[in-house]
């Protein structure tokens, strides 16, 4: 591979690391010139195979640099320290102990990857192999310096890669880039309709399944007696929510075609997993109380009763009916165009490093997700959202590759951010929201616990000065945005033992309803031994008095006095059943009177970003100059823009996933002439 090819590493940073460095070689021995054929006795050579000491090496993991430090005696590996602090908390970080134990047990870098953490495992093996080679004297000792990000936020787009040599060429009619929720749905639909297609995915497997999705007026919703949705009111609400910046034509595609999307999935389950049953959230369970001022009716669909999740089913359809094997470990590098027409892509096998030209006669579908794991894009395109995030629960391969490739090819991109923020990023006291920099220079969010569902409940929220600062009742992102102007971008949530009754009265909807359906289970997380993050820090607190709780949460001095006064004032408002300070509806006030008392600190949990390539109602990507369709280029899901602007309307759970799969099917239809 040429030096020019190697310069593309930054672009492919989210992909798997390169193979381990080969040994430099051993010095050759010289023959003796002594004429005496009897060899002179020499002392026995030392039995040790290592030069004792501590050695460190690094390799590129799933989303960050992985550091491995190994200590050697003359004959053994005596200690292993892994720094995977920049990897995904629930995946790469969670695999660290198992990987460390395997290295010690095997006394070798030839260990098995931890299931679900393949990229982190490969990086650990690569870096460990280099430590071993250093200890053997086979390669020079590596000098590790703590660095910082090479490029600032303004450089998020960079320059379109130049690929001097292509190693192989594939031909197909329709190329799907990304094996996530949109790509897998598109592949299954293409397979069932006789389309010649391929799917490439830079990860080692398909992305996480979002099992629930929103669809309007599906046959199952109507069968439950649900009245057809007031579509005019729904359109107007989305327009209001986005300040008029959304593309209502794309919204219309979801409204009118999502029921057919649901029918397609239902038919697939009937064939491949007939034991599956769909639960549709409708009626009173789905409605925000009128006093909240939101009109977003919910028709959320969730399949259960079967061990076959949707992606497993789609993959079976893709392989059996489409005759296609998904090309994993294959990363998008750039789009190829002839004139204004996209004719295919250049991709790279992330294991071999080989470049592949994929010609797609009828079109390319970008289904690569958003950019939540690209710090440069986050800081440049969404500084406000970035500033309030504490926990990143997105899919690690979502680094904006498809969005960047589209912009390089002349596509228009949404100008305003639309992050999907959930108010559930629990952290220890004293932790700020926003990026922290690891010892290797990687930027990561500090939270390690993913989503803490209880965070969404509209209990009293206070800042680090002990002050209440907002109406706590609202959509998930509103609480997070309210913290932007607060110290550290975080806040504490406070409640007492009446929590089980309170949350039932609050009647939050969507996934936050899990709390009111199992409040006792949520309280178990405050028990001793269950309230530590992955760094061993206490994150959930219970106390016999509010004063004791204040101490545990880290309030001191004047801030503690303010906190206690705020709690007293909140009890006054509850007794009056009137929030004179911030206007929260009375039914969402709660008392702070009966021990035990509970508290924890929160920021936002980042699920994904919704700021991507602009598309029209037929899933066609439009150009920057005239907003005209770019022939041969389609997009769906989080790689697209124009559907959500400013934020994500999470009072309609499932709308994003419903949109993703509806447009995945639409793209297959339009590109391959399947529209009726």
């Amino acid at each position: 591979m040429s030096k020019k090819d190697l310069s593309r590493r930054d672009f492919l940073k989210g992909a798997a690391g390169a193979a381990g460095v080969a040994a430099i070689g051993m010095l050759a021995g010289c023959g003796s010139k002594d004429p005496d054929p009897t060899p002179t006795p020499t002392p026995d050579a030392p039995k040790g195979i290592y030069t004792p000491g501590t050695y460190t090496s690094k390799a590129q993991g799933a989303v960050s640099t992985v550091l491995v430090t190994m200590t050697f005696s003359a004959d053994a590996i005596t200690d292993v320290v892994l720094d995977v602090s920049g990897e995904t908390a629930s995946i790469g970080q969670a695999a660290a102990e198992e990987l460390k134990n395997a290295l010690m047990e095997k006394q070798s870098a030839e260990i098995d990857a931890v299931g679900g953490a393949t990229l982190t495992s490969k990086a650990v093996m690569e870096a460990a192999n280099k430590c071993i080679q250093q200890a053997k004297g086979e390669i020079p000792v590596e000098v590790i310096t703590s660095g910082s990000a090479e490029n600032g936020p303004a450089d998020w787009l960079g320059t379109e890669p130049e690929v001097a040599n292509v190693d192989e060429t594939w031909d197909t009619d329709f190329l799907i880039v990304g094996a996530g929720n949109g790509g897998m749905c598109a592949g299954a639909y293409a397979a069932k309709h006789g389309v010649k297609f391929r799917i490439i995915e830079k990860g080692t497997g398909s992305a996480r399944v979002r099992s629930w999705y929103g669809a309007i007026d599906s046959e199952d919703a109507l069968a439950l007696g649900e009245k057809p949705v007031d579509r005019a009111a729904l359109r107007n609400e989305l327009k209001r929510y986005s300040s008029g910046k959304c593309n209502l034509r794309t919204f219309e595609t979801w409204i009118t075609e999502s029921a057919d999307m649901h029918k397609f999935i239902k038919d697939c389950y009937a064939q491949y997993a007939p034991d599956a049953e769909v639960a549709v959230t409708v009626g009173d369970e789905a409605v925000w109380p009128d006093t909240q001022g939101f009109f977003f009716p919910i028709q959320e669909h969730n399949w259960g009763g079967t061990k076959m999740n949707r992606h497993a089913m789609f993959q079976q359809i893709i392989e059996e009916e489409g005759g296609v094997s998904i090309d994993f470990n294959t990363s998008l590098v750039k789009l190829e165009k002839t004139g204004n027409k996209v004719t295919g892509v250049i991709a790279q096998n992330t294991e071999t490093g080989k470049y592949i030209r994929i010609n797609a006669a009828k079109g390319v579908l970008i289904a690569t997700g958003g950019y939540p794991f690209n710090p440069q894009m986050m800081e440049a395109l969404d500084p406000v959202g970035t500033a309030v995030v504490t926990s990143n629960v997105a899919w690690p391969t979502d680094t904006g590759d498809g969005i960047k490739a589209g912009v390089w090819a002349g596509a228009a991109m949404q100008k305003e951010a639309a992050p999907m923020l959930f108010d559930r990023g629990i952290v220890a006291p004293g932790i700020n929201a926003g990026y922290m920099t690891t010892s290797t220079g990687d930027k990561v969010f500090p939270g390690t616990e993913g989503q803490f569902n209880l965070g969404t409940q509209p209990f009293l929220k206070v800042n680090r000065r002990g002050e209440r600062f907002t109406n706590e009742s609202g959509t998930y992102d509103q609480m997070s945005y309210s913290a932007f102007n607060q110290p550290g971008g975080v806040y504490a949530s406070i409640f007492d033992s009446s929590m089980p009754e309170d949350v039932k009265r609050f009647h939050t909807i969507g996934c936050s309803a899990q709390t009111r359906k199992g409040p006792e289970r949520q309280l178990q997380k405050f028990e001793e031994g269950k309230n530590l993050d992955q760094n061993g820090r206490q994150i959930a607190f219970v106390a016999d008095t509010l004063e004791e709780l204040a101490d545990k949460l880290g309030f001191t001095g004047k801030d503690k006095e303010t906190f206690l006064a705020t709690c007293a004032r909140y009890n006054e408002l509850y007794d009056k059943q009137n929030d004179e300070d911030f206007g929260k509806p009375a039914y969402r006030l709660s008392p702070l009177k009966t021990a035990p008392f509970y508290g924890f600190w929160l920021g936002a949990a980042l699920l994904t970003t919704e700021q991507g390539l602009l598309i029209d109602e037929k899933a066609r990507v439009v150009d920057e100059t005239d907003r005209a369709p770019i022939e041969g280029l389609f997009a769906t899901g989080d790689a697209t823009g124009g559907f959500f602007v400013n934020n994500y309307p999470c009072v309609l759970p499932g709308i994003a996933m419903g949109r993703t799969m509806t447009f995945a099917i639409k793209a297959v239809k339009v590109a391959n002439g399947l529209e009726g």
Side-chain angles (χ1 to χ4, degrees), residues 620-636:
R620 300 176 297 186
V621 177
V622 299
D623 65 31
E624 175 66 25
T625 305
D626 300 317
R627 298 298 194 267
I630 298 174
E631 186 178 355
L633 186 58
F634 302 82
T636 190

Side-chain angles (χ1 to χ4, degrees), residues 418-431:
M420 191 181 290
L421 302 179
F422 280 37
D423 45 358
R424 301 174 188 167
I426 190 169
V427 289
I431 301 297

Side-chain angles (χ1 to χ4, degrees), residues 131-156:
C131 288
I132 292 170
Q133 290 177 317
Q134 291 175 61
K136 287 182 175 181
E138 295 175 350
I139 64 173
V141 174
E142 188 171 352
V143 178
I144 304 295
T145 58
S146 61
S148 58
E150 295 179 6
N151 299 311
D155 299 319
W156 71 267

Side-chain angles (χ1 to χ4, degrees), residues 291-309:
T291 54
Q292 290 300 108
F294 296 108
F295 168 78
F296 269 95
I298 301 173
Q299 293 183 9
E300 185 180 29
H301 301 67
N302 191 20
W303 288 90
T306 180
K307 293 182 179 180
M308 180 176 285
N309 68 40

Side-chain angles (χ1 to χ4, degrees), residues 177-183 201 207 366-372 377 395 397-404 608-613 636-640 659-660:
V177 184
N181 293 281
E201 162 60 46
I366 299 295
T368 52
Y371 56 84
M377 294 182 74
W395 193 245
T397 58
D398 286 358
T399 53
D401 300 1
I403 297 171
K404 292 169 69 173
T608 187
T609 59
E610 306 279 1
Q611 176 190 13
L613 306 175
T636 190
D638 300 343
T640 65
R659 171 274 327 247
T660 294

Side-chain angles (χ1 to χ4, degrees), residues 328-359:
F328 295 111
N329 301 304
T330 306
S331 181
L332 173 67
V333 176
K334 60 185 293 186
L335 294 164
E336 290 203 303
K337 293 175 68 177
T338 299
N340 192 46
K341 180 180 180 180
V342 170
T343 57
V345 309
I346 297 293
Q348 186 180 36
N349 184 305
T350 58
E351 293 189 311
T352 66
K354 291 185 177 180
Y355 287 98
I356 309 157
R357 171 170 284 115
I358 308 175
N359 297 318

